[in-house]
Amino acid sequence: MKKFQIINGPNLNLLGKREPGVYGNVSFDEYVRTLRAAYPDCEIAVFQSNREGELIDKIHETGFDFDGIILNAGAYTHTSVALHDAIKAVTTPVVEVHISNVHAREEFRHHSMISAACKGVIAGFGLNSYRLALESFA
Ligand code: DQA
């Protein structure tokens, strides 16, 4: 069974309640239930933290034996050299995802500190961005 780790960063624990016009009104727990049902042959682990260091620890922990990491680093996407370095430090490929189309939003969201360290980037497809990232590993 292939193993995938989803890592969600700051404020993504509030999905379903947070700015529903941007991020939708479905909670991540609810979404992951449908994702797991659609991919019964994949083990899909989920981790969320509002703390940068905990996101880094999770990348280290899963970055050598999982088949893929799907990372939505939230706002740390735009600021974190440490996350960039963590992604480079591991062997598991990491796909960067965003629910919203960051390029159609404020200018400070246009630059990602982590894209260059990732295998690819998927943004703007709502929660479906996670499914597309999973597909990319197939
Ligand atoms: C986000 C986009 C980021 O700019 C923002 O800070 C988030 C969510 C997204 O999924 O669209 O927290 O990563």
Side-chain angles (χ1 to χ4, degrees):
M1 205 183 255
K2 288 204 166 185
K3 288 199 299 184
F4 298 99
Q5 177 72 53
I6 294 175
I7 302 178
N8 276 338
N11 301 307
L12 293 166
N13 52 311
L14 296 181
L15 284 175
K17 293 184 194 146
R18 170 194 185 196
E19 297 184 78
V22 179
Y23 300 111
N25 49 23
V26 175
S27 73
F28 202 70
D29 281 354
E30 200 177 329
Y31 177 70
V32 164
R33 265 197 294 278
T34 63
L35 195 62
R36 287 189 175 126
Y39 292 87
D41 297 335
C42 296
E43 186 184 315
I44 303 170
V46 177
F47 176 78
Q48 189 278 330
S49 178
N50 294 321
R51 293 167 188 81
E52 189 176 10
E54 289 185 359
L55 302 176
I56 292 166
D57 288 344
K58 187 51 82 173
I59 292 169
H60 293 176
E61 191 186 311
T62 55
F64 294 93
D65 60 348
F66 275 58
D67 296 290
I69 294 174
I70 297 167
L71 173 64
N72 185 347
Y76 290 136
T77 302
H78 314 297
T79 61
S80 181
V81 175
L83 273 175
H84 174 110
D85 288 349
I87 296 162
K88 293 268 273 213
V90 299
T91 52
T92 296
V94 178
V95 170
E96 173 184 351
V97 306
H98 300 286
I99 297 162
S100 64
N101 178 355
V102 283
H103 300 287
R105 299 182 64 194
E106 303 95 320
E107 193 152 347
F108 65 84
R109 296 184 204 277
H110 296 183
H111 182 68
S112 166
M113 297 298 290
I114 63 173
S115 296
C118 289
K119 187 177 174 204
V121 182
I122 297 170
F125 296 96
L127 288 172
N128 255 328
S129 294
Y130 292 88
R131 185 181 59 76
L132 294 169
L134 196 58
E135 273 299 311
S136 79
F137 288 117

